[in-house]
Amino acid sequence: MSAHLTEIIVFTALFLTVSGMGFVASRWRRPHSLASLDEWGLGGRSFGSWVTWFLIGGDLYTAYTFVAVPALLWGAGAAGFFAMPYTVITYPLVFLVLLRLWSVSHVHGFVTPADFVRVRFGSPTLALLIAITGIVATMPYIALQLVGIEAVLKSMGVTGHLPIIIAFAILAAYTYQSGLRAPALIAFVKDALIYVVILTAVVVIPLKLGGWGSIFDAAEAKFAATPAPGDGILLGSGNQLQYITLALGSALALFLYPHSVTGVLASRNRDVIKRNMSALPAYSLLLGLIALLGYMAIAAGVKPVVTDGRPDNNTIVPQLFDQMFPDWFTGVAYAAVGIGALVPAAIMSIAAANLFTRNIYREFLRPDASDADEARVSKIVSLLVKVGAVLFILFLDTGFSIDLQLVGGVIILQTLPSVGLGLYTRWFHRGGLVAGWAAGMAAGVLMLYSIGNPATGKAHFAGSAFPLSNLGLDTKVTVYAGLLALAVNLLVAVLGTLVARTAGLADGGDLTQPDHYGADEGDPRVRDLDLVG
Amino acid sequence: MTTPDRKRSDRSPWNWLLAIPIVVPLLPFLYNALDPRLLGFPRFYWLQLAFVPLGVVCTTAVYRLTKRRR
């Protein structure tokens, strides 16, 4: 333990500084009162380009990403690099979609994606399904942020669950008090630390290892020596389709996650979103370089930390830093990862809490809830969500959180027809969308359940690469299960809509109008119009 | 308070520029190779990193070209 004393001191000092900022954040851009979801949950819907860039960047590129993506490259090679095309295509893909979502949410005061579905399709049931999907997909994601912190703590020789419980208690306290303003303010520090650490790493470490050429050579040699057919520094014939379908599916899913929507709706106007679609890829470049830390770890001969006889691949990057940097800078790097976990965890818990408040509490339990009631319920639920995430880690295997996160990505995609396509067309019948959702969920979970990995002896949930041979096709090609499930979903939604129309089933009303999807800052809101009328 | 312009929309032929950075990164035959190397990086890695600026150029162009006149 004493060998890591400098690291622990630097880590703790930075962590506490940031926690202090979290509490002070409630006074930043001081509102009249934090007692409404617009203020507590969306930071007053007032963030400009810079704040939004740090907030969404800090939200999407999480601590877990920073340890898990290099670990993937370390273990499997090129297939792990899918994060690169994934984060490149996502911004042009959602550029126009998010503008429509922002505008219609501005006009109607939506806080969650399920709010939109409720008003667009006139169906509380469909909105409830969307909300539950969002909450279920988000919970393991929060738990995984703890895995990020845990990887760093393990590398400092700190074991046991108490430090994580303390860290999350502090996080819970300032999120409760400051709402979305806390992660927005902390994101500045988090991202500054991450940029400094990674840019230093990609300059210093290759110099020490004899240049990029020898790093890639070392990786190539490692994979050539393994018996596994799927690894290597290039894609094989069997996993190319998996690579691009996983990239496409993940890109489609990214902005369906409730916490991404929260970041988008907190921005001030349409221009802020457009500028960020051009500026956020800076993080993608960083992510690409971070991914390559996995190969640097191979070249440097890094070994993962072994606890209870099991190696933890997620400790690869922390171990690499420990080996390459002086202690004080390793401490800074660890703090970057640790704080990197706090920002997304805070936003995710706020987003999940808002879903509960708006689409379950107000919809089904207290229809006359005031703004202050909503804020109060959301604050309490945000605490419960974090307690739940800690319980996940304490009582369930970490591997289980990773399985659930895998499932989360697949199921959040099943909200695409209602939320994503719903922004463009009202053609679907609410019954068709509900049926499609159910079919997509079932297909997705069944496919993931059927995916095993003989190499690790895991029979179920061993990955998201669905072998087409399972469908009776004579091929070794694999495809991302989420995208297949989405295809099932869409097919059933279309058929269901046709059946519902033919049978004359009642459809819900649509309270949005075409011009709501182009509205900008300063345009009248429904609430204002109601007051006038 | 202004009345929203009913004809206002995001439609523009320039939006098709966005298709380039969506389609190109999904074509593995472009980048699934070792040569040519650049600064020690195999093509697979440097070319996919280069798609980031491609995306930035396209989204920025669409933003600039479709700016609404106020």
Side-chain angles (χ1 to χ4, degrees):
Chain A
M1 176 123 177
S2 60
H4 297 286
L5 194 60
T6 316
E7 293 167 7
I8 294 174
I9 292 171
V10 174
F11 177 86
T12 313
L14 283 168
F15 197 90
L16 290 179
T17 308
V18 159
S19 304
M21 287 177 67
F23 286 104
V24 175
S26 63
R27 277 181 252 163
W28 179 44
R29 300 160 159 263
R30 184 199 286 272
H32 297 299
S33 145
L34 274 173
S36 75
L37 282 191
D38 273 3
E39 289 297 339
W40 182 84
L42 289 178
R45 299 183 190 256
S46 65
F47 291 148
S49 299
W50 279 102
V51 181
T52 302
W53 186 73
F54 280 107
L55 181 71
I56 300 186
D59 187 12
L60 302 186
Y61 300 82
T62 69
Y64 176 67
T65 321
F66 291 150
V67 297
V69 171
L72 269 178
L73 264 84
W74 184 83
F81 209 58
F82 84 94
M84 206 63 241
Y86 155 31
T87 55
V88 169
I89 64 179
T90 195
Y91 300 108
L93 199 60
V94 299
F95 187 95
L96 297 165
V97 185
L98 291 184
L99 289 175
R100 288 176 73 85
L101 178 64
W102 186 91
S103 290
V104 73
S105 302
H106 173 79
V107 172
H108 290 266
F110 299 147
V111 179
T112 69
D115 281 351
F116 163 70
V117 170
R118 168 79 177 82
V119 171
R120 175 67 145 167
F121 294 99
S123 168
T125 313
L126 185 59
L128 176 69
L129 295 177
I130 302 295
I132 291 175
T133 313
I135 294 171
V136 171
T138 305
M139 285 293 291
Y141 217 155
I142 302 174
L144 280 188
Q145 301 310 316
L146 290 166
V147 174
I149 302 185
E150 211 167 31
V152 168
L153 291 174
K154 267 187 199 171
S155 294
M156 290 193 292
V158 180
T159 47
H161 289 298
L162 191 63
I164 287 202
I165 296 176
I166 295 172
F168 249 49
I170 298 174
L171 170 71
Y174 64 67
T175 310
Y176 180 89
Q177 186 185 321
S178 309
L180 194 65
R181 283 176 170 79
L185 197 56
I186 292 173
F188 284 97
V189 184
K190 176 227 155 182
D191 293 345
L193 285 176
I194 294 270
Y195 274 97
V196 168
V197 168
I198 301 307
L199 293 179
T200 309
V202 297
V203 173
V204 172
I205 299 178
L207 281 178
K208 287 194 177 185
L209 295 173
W212 284 100
S214 55
I215 290 172
F216 284 107
D217 291 343
E220 196 171 11
K222 175 194 164 173
F223 295 124
T226 61
D231 61 7
I233 63 168
L234 292 181
L235 298 172
S237 57
N239 60 0
Q240 291 191 21
L241 194 60
Q242 161 70 9
Y243 187 83
I244 61 171
T245 49
L246 181 57
L248 178 62
S250 307
L252 288 170
L254 184 61
F255 278 92
L256 291 169
Y257 273 106
H259 62 273
S260 317
V261 172
T262 300
V264 169
L265 295 189
S267 49
R268 187 195 301 146
N269 57 32
R270 291 165 66 96
D271 264 2
V272 169
I273 297 171
K274 288 186 186 176
R275 282 197 206 107
N276 268 285
M277 290 299 114
S278 305
L280 280 167
Y283 286 95
S284 306
L285 208 51
L286 194 70
L287 179 61
L289 297 172
I290 289 172
L292 295 175
L293 291 175
Y295 287 171
M296 294 181 206
I298 294 174
V302 170
K303 297 271 175 293
V305 175
V306 180
T307 30
D308 307 330
R310 279 186 307 182
D312 179 359
N313 284 1
N314 286 331
T315 56
I316 281 295
V317 167
Q319 288 298 100
L320 177 70
F321 289 161
D322 191 41
Q323 194 170 322
M324 290 289 161
F325 292 145
D327 284 353
W328 70 271
F329 195 73
T330 308
V332 174
Y334 288 1
V337 176
I339 297 166
L342 301 182
V343 173
I347 305 173
M348 287 168 192
S349 65
I350 289 171
N354 288 348
L355 280 170
F356 175 83
T357 306
R358 297 280 293 200
N359 309 108
I360 297 174
Y361 177 75
R362 198 184 73 163
E363 184 72 60
F364 296 103
L365 303 175
R366 277 272 315 269
D368 57 342
S370 68
D371 285 356
D373 291 335
E374 286 187 7
R376 202 180 55 249
V377 171
S378 256
K379 287 167 87 166
I380 294 168
V381 174
S382 84
L383 290 182
L384 295 178
V385 165
K386 285 194 205 71
V387 172
V390 173
L391 292 180
F392 253 82
I393 295 292
L394 292 191
F395 295 108
L396 299 170
D397 184 35
T398 306
F400 191 64
S401 302
I402 297 172
D403 292 355
L404 281 179
Q405 153 67 3
L406 200 67
V407 178
V410 170
I411 68 171
I412 201 70
L413 253 185
Q414 307 315 317
T415 64
L416 185 130
S418 306
V419 180
L421 298 185
L423 284 164
Y424 282 90
T425 172
R426 184 57 184 79
W427 179 81
F428 288 105
H429 189 283
R430 59 182 177 185
L433 287 171
V434 170
W437 174 89
M441 295 285 273
V445 174
L446 276 176
M447 276 188 272
L448 290 176
Y449 181 79
S450 75
I451 296 171
N453 183 350
T456 57
K458 214 166 166 234
H460 306 292
F461 298 108
S464 60
F466 184 73
L468 288 180
S469 56
N470 284 14
L471 298 175
L473 300 172
D474 182 25
T475 169
K476 281 189 173 154
V477 171
T478 57
V479 176
Y480 176 49
L483 223 48
L484 287 178
L486 179 61
V488 172
N489 181 339
L490 283 170
L491 186 70
V492 173
V494 169
L495 291 177
T497 298
L498 294 174
V499 169
R501 293 270 150 74
T502 316
L505 290 180
D507 199 354
D510 177 10
L511 295 178
T512 68
Q513 287 163 18
D515 59 310
H516 292 172
Y517 295 88
D520 206 347
E521 187 184 16
D523 287 341
R525 299 172 166 207
V526 166
R527 196 178 272 193
D528 306 329
L529 295 173
D530 286 345
L531 286 175
V532 174
Chain B
M1 200 167 277
T2 53
T3 322
D5 175 4
R6 302 225 162 237
K7 282 181 200 150
R8 199 164 60 182
S9 103
D10 290 318
R11 278 173 193 275
S12 160
W14 292 113
N15 290 341
W16 287 102
L17 278 178
L18 295 173
I20 299 170
I22 298 174
V23 173
V24 170
L26 295 178
L27 304 172
F29 66 85
L30 290 178
Y31 49 78
N32 196 28
L34 292 174
D35 294 312
R37 286 185 179 240
L38 189 73
L39 302 171
F41 283 66
R43 192 208 301 182
F44 186 82
Y45 300 91
W46 68 257
L47 189 54
Q48 290 197 78
L49 285 168
F51 292 156
V52 174
L54 174 74
V56 172
V57 168
C58 293
T59 46
T60 309
V62 171
Y63 168 52
R64 301 255 162 191
L65 294 168
T66 60
K67 248 185 182 173
R68 290 170 177 175
R69 285 188 205 99
R70 289 182 183 264

